[in-house]
Amino acid sequence: MTSRIKILPESLASKIAAGEVVQRPASAVKELVENSVDAHAKSISVIIKDAGKTLIHVIDDGDGMTPEDARVAFHRHATSKISTYEDLENILTLGFRGEALASIAAVSHVELRTRPHASSIGTKVRIEGGAIVDCEEDSTAPGTSIQIKNLFFNTPGRRNFLKSTNTEYKHIFDSIQNIALSYPEIAIKFISNDETVLNLKASSFNERFAEIFGEKLANSLIKFEDVNELITVNGYLGKPDYARKGRSEQFLFLNRRIIVSRNLNHAVFHAYEHLIEKGSFPVFVLFITIDPHKVDVNVHPSKMEVKFENESSVYRMIFTAVRKALSSHDLIPKVGMREDGSIDAFSKMQFQTSHQTPVPRPEWNSPTGLDKSSFVQTQQSFKSDSAFLNKIEKSFNEYHGTDSQPVQTEHQNPSTTISPIWQIHNKYIMVPIESGIMIVDQHAAHERVLYERAVERFNQTNIHSQQLLFPHTIQMNVGDVALIKDLLPHLEKLGFCIKLFGNTTVILEGVPVDIKPGNEGIILQDILDLYKEDEQNIKIEPKERLIKSYSCKAAVKSGDPLNLPEMHSLMDQLFATNLPYVCPHGRPVLIKMMLNELDKRFGRTS
Ligand code: ADP
Ligand code: MG
């Protein structure tokens, strides 16, 4: 019996393989331009006709090839970039699979002209359907020129499946744009149907970006960099006002290679949450630099997919870096942050109150974090700086008018005059500001404050705990006690002092200083419950999850009445945080209603 299994002839096998690397004209352009970059080109020109269907011509002034290399370059797995398995784990070039030229040559007519800078004469090689038809000396300029004609001439199926000329052109443009963004130091020219589309000189990233996307968008970019032991993330973030309806202006580069990663894109998107409208997407160009050993780019022949050794850490790093960058740029317009982190409008109120006796803080409802001492402290620091006081007084009068009437709230001591700040429905705090009014969600605000304090505590060596006069004995189920056991080192860092007593009993001897007295046991149980709810979310480390659960459960709740000093203290602490605008779960902490918006609604023109 003859075998039914046959080894495919080389010509068919190479067409099948080519299909994976060269899916469309843009993939050929990408591969050729990447080769030019790897060959240290300072200048690259791409010339196309009919969206690459009839011609793709890439010319560079890079290293060039010797006659021997020029011949062998079109063989499958021919590469000068790696030679051992160790090299594969440490990819420093854009190419490494040795497939592109072979694949392109299998499905087109190719003419290569190349010359190393040190040689006086170059080489010309012509290949049709993968076979060398001509090879001779050639008087070409130093560098390499590759012309691809009649792409997919021998794979009509692929040719017929190409999309419209416009679509294919757009793909080519995008692949050139990607290289242009990641290698601004290389001059790039792009000519389509005899028309110069791009003529980019070697420049800085900012100049390059402005040349491609226009000055206006370039000027709106927030530049940032974040370095840790695992990765460096740097890049440029578009301000929320410039968010787009699509994702076309989102670029993710890994070690200068464009990559596609839904997960990492989500990390950036997540960081913008609540700063942009639903259905809009932020503009960003992000460069991730990571030790090549910690990432695998050999996932797919297109080399655009990557696998990280520790993807969830990379996700978190990107998320944090972007959040930090956004928060340091006062993205909510005109809150008027002072150097010390508190807001202008708020300082004005502090000023007025500092001439009054502070409202006594009723013990029944005061989360320790919002205590009077920080309020009094703030007043003292204002009092000691008379120039500052003058400034505040002046601006206070400017904004509120000298005849501004003091306002009273439901929780104030009736005999005390206070500045305008209100609690509404025991839920929101309303603060007038220069450009309108700010409404703060008291729970989210306190959550943010506690969250950042807790994160800081994890970085400190000493433990801040307040010992309970009477330790609480708490009965819990076996699972929760086991969970406490697991989380004990983290809980201790937060300030909990817990003794385990059998399988179902814990003794709470101390709690974090921010926890309000009276409910310690309930808060601990709430924290555990919330922690468990969030347990499916594997992207968040246990420590982070615990901090989030803690800050949520220890914070003042919606429905808790707050008195004036507490509200002031909360505002002051909120604006001393790194990210006052979003709570640790990503919900907004405050919204602003602009005066001009109100004017518009009331039909006012002035
Ligand atoms: P890879 O880039 O994965 O090595 P390619 O098939 O794209 O594989 O290219 C094969 C080899 O041809 C490269 O390793 C390189 O040595 C050489 N080569 C290709 N393009 C150029 C170029 N523009 N300049 C110099 N050498 C080149
Ligand atoms: Mg290559």
Side-chain angles (χ1 to χ4, degrees):
M1 235 167 71
T2 54
S3 165
R4 285 191 301 126
I5 300 177
K6 296 184 185 61
I7 306 291
L8 293 177
E10 176 54 31
S11 62
L12 181 52
S14 60
K15 276 185 199 162
I16 292 172
E20 286 209 287
V21 184
V22 194
Q23 289 151 348
R24 55 186 356 147
S27 0
V29 171
K30 172 180 180 280
E31 293 295 338
L32 296 178
V33 174
E34 286 187 355
N35 279 346
S36 300
V37 172
D38 284 344
H40 313 102
K42 290 195 179 69
S43 148
I44 304 172
S45 298
V46 182
I47 300 156
I48 59 164
K49 289 241 159 77
D50 299 327
K53 292 176 200 168
T54 41
L55 174 76
I56 296 171
H57 188 183
V58 176
I59 307 158
D60 69 51
D61 60 354
D63 300 337
M65 285 178 256
T66 61
E68 298 73 38
D69 282 350
R71 281 167 160 276
V72 89
F74 290 92
H75 289 176
R76 189 158 304 282
H77 312 306
T79 179
S80 55
K81 300 169 192 173
I82 60 169
S83 56
T84 63
Y85 180 73
E86 283 68 42
D87 295 340
L88 186 60
E89 300 216 304
N90 187 26
I91 301 288
L92 301 167
T93 48
L94 295 172
F96 58 89
R97 297 172 57 102
E99 284 181 323
L101 290 187
S103 300
I104 293 169
V107 292
S108 67
H109 296 152
V110 179
E111 184 185 282
L112 160 74
R113 301 174 77 189
T114 185
R115 184 183 133 197
H117 288 250
S119 303
S120 54
I121 192 86
T123 312
K124 182 159 99 181
V125 181
R126 279 202 308 118
I127 298 173
E128 285 180 8
I132 296 188
V133 293
D134 193 16
C135 177
E136 58 190 44
E137 282 192 347
D138 187 61
S139 58
T140 185
T144 300
S145 144
I146 301 187
Q147 281 195 53
I148 316 282
K149 287 186 180 157
N150 309 323
L151 188 61
F152 303 128
F153 79 99
N154 52 358
T155 50
R158 182 56 63 108
R159 192 172 180 93
N160 294 339
F161 268 103
L162 289 183
K163 298 273 191 292
S164 71
T165 302
N166 277 347
T167 308
E168 296 303 334
Y169 169 81
K170 174 80 175 77
H171 283 290
I172 294 179
F173 182 87
D174 287 348
S175 61
I176 296 174
Q177 181 175 276
N178 292 340
I179 287 282
L181 285 175
S182 131
Y183 290 90
E185 73 275 25
I186 301 179
I188 293 179
K189 199 166 182 171
F190 175 38
I191 299 170
S192 168
N193 294 338
D194 300 321
E195 215 177 285
T196 303
V197 182
L198 291 174
N199 193 358
L200 307 167
K201 57 181 189 320
S203 58
S204 65
F205 175 85
N206 273 1
E207 288 167 341
R208 174 73 39 112
F209 189 93
E211 272 199 86
I212 298 177
F213 294 104
E215 293 279 342
K216 202 166 162 213
L217 186 55
N219 290 338
S220 89
L221 293 182
I222 297 166
K223 190 173 174 187
F224 78 103
E225 180 171 50
D226 213 78
V227 185
N228 75 5
E229 66 287 350
L230 177 65
I231 60 173
T232 298
V233 191
N234 70 310
Y236 301 81
L237 303 168
K239 296 216 171 118
D241 308 3
Y242 286 86
R244 298 294 154 107
K245 288 291 168 214
R247 294 186 171 88
S248 62
E249 273 139 47
Q250 303 191 330
F251 302 89
L252 200 57
F253 295 97
L254 174 91
N255 294 346
R256 297 186 95 181
R257 173 197 307 283
I258 186 86
I259 58 161
V260 176
S261 165
R262 278 172 65 99
N263 201 8
L264 300 189
N265 264 31
H266 184 265
V268 183
F269 186 68
H270 190 183
Y272 271 92
E273 214 169 13
H274 302 298
L275 292 177
I276 52 180
E277 279 172 33
K278 246 199 159 112
S280 291
F281 300 90
V283 174
F284 64 81
V285 186
L286 221 85
F287 297 98
I288 304 168
T289 312
I290 191 166
D291 175 354
H293 290 99
K294 295 198 173 352
V295 62
D296 184 2
V297 286
N298 189 22
V299 179
H300 185 269
S302 70
K303 301 166 287 179
M304 284 176 75
E305 279 172 44
V306 293
K307 275 207 180 101
F308 291 94
E309 197 176 275
N310 196 344
E311 180 139 349
S312 60
S313 304
V314 176
Y315 180 100
R316 260 197 313 277
M317 253 299 287
I318 292 178
F319 172 78
T320 315
V322 174
R323 266 284 162 93
K324 241 198 264 169
L326 292 174
S327 72
S328 63
H329 276 78
D330 189 16
L331 283 174
I332 300 208
K334 303 243 164 27
V335 178
M337 289 257 255
R338 282 200 338 248
E339 290 281 303
D340 67 0
S342 62
I343 51 168
D344 276 344
F346 186 58
S347 357
K348 285 161 214 151
M349 297 163 215
Q350 291 280 23
F351 162 69
Q352 200 188 35
T353 320
S354 70
H355 294 308
Q356 317 293 334
T357 320
V359 182
R361 165 178 170 267
E363 291 305 323
W364 44 267
N365 124 56
S366 296
T368 325
L370 301 183
D371 64 8
K372 198 166 55 185
S373 60
S374 64
F375 175 62
V376 174
Q377 221 174 19
T378 328
Q379 292 175 55
Q380 279 162 356
S381 66
F382 285 162
K383 272 183 190 150
S384 61
D385 183 348
S386 64
F388 183 47
L389 278 182
N390 282 338
K391 198 174 137 230
I392 300 170
E393 185 159 36
K394 190 163 163 278
S395 46
F396 183 87
N397 291 338
E398 268 168 26
Y399 294 132
H400 296 274
T402 35
D403 57 350
S404 147
Q405 289 303 310
V407 187
Q408 301 190 345
T409 75
E410 37 176 312
H411 299 295
Q412 76 175 99
N413 174 341
S415 65
T416 313
T417 339
I418 51 154
S419 55
I421 175 169
W422 306 270
Q423 187 188 35
I424 38 179
H425 295 275
N426 290 345
K427 207 182 212 182
Y428 299 112
I429 299 170
M430 209 150 82
V431 187
I433 51 168
E434 186 189 340
S435 53
I437 194 149
M438 187 170 79
I439 303 167
V440 180
D441 179 325
Q442 65 184 40
H443 170 71
H446 197 205
E447 209 179 353
R448 163 55 58 191
V449 170
L450 294 185
Y451 174 81
E452 292 200 8
R453 249 187 235 167
V455 170
E456 214 170 276
R457 235 167 259 168
F458 268 86
N459 297 329
Q460 293 168 352
T461 39
N462 45 349
I463 287 169
H464 302 263
S465 176
Q466 55 181 353
Q467 292 303 306
L468 296 173
L469 209 52
F470 305 103
H472 293 269
T473 303
I474 309 169
Q475 295 296 325
M476 285 186 173
N477 67 40
V478 181
D480 285 350
V481 174
L483 183 60
I484 288 193
K485 210 166 161 186
D486 279 354
L487 294 175
L488 204 54
H490 292 330
L491 285 163
E492 283 173 352
K493 269 277 181 195
L494 278 177
F496 284 99
C497 182
I498 301 172
K499 292 263 155 34
L500 298 169
F501 198 76
N503 279 344
T504 53
T505 308
V506 297
I507 300 171
L508 190 58
E509 295 184 338
V511 293
V513 284
D514 299 309
I515 286 210
K516 71 175 168 185
N519 290 326
E520 297 89 348
I522 297 169
I523 289 177
L524 179 64
Q525 184 66 57
D526 285 352
I527 293 171
L528 293 181
D529 290 345
L530 189 61
Y531 179 92
K532 286 184 289 186
E533 243 173 66
D534 210 17
E535 211 158 18
Q536 276 71 327
N537 193 345
I538 48 147
K539 280 190 193 120
I540 306 179
E541 272 181 11
K543 183 177 96 182
E544 170 79 7
R545 195 155 60 222
L546 180 65
I547 294 179
K548 278 190 177 165
S549 311
Y550 159 76
S551 43
C552 177
K553 292 303 174 186
V556 289
K557 305 219 167 351
S558 158
D560 286 348
L562 298 179
N563 62 29
L564 194 62
E566 286 169 341
M567 286 192 271
H568 279 176
S569 170
L570 178 58
M571 290 300 102
D572 223 11
Q573 291 171 39
L574 174 66
F575 284 95
T577 62
N578 291 324
L579 200 59
Y581 307 123
V582 271
C583 84
H585 298 97
R587 281 187 294 105
V589 168
L590 58 90
I591 55 169
K592 289 182 51 179
M593 212 179 278
M594 311 300 276
L595 212 50
N596 54 12
E597 173 71 29
L598 289 174
D599 288 344
K600 224 184 338 179
R601 292 205 175 195
F602 284 106
R604 273 188 173 278
T605 46
S606 63

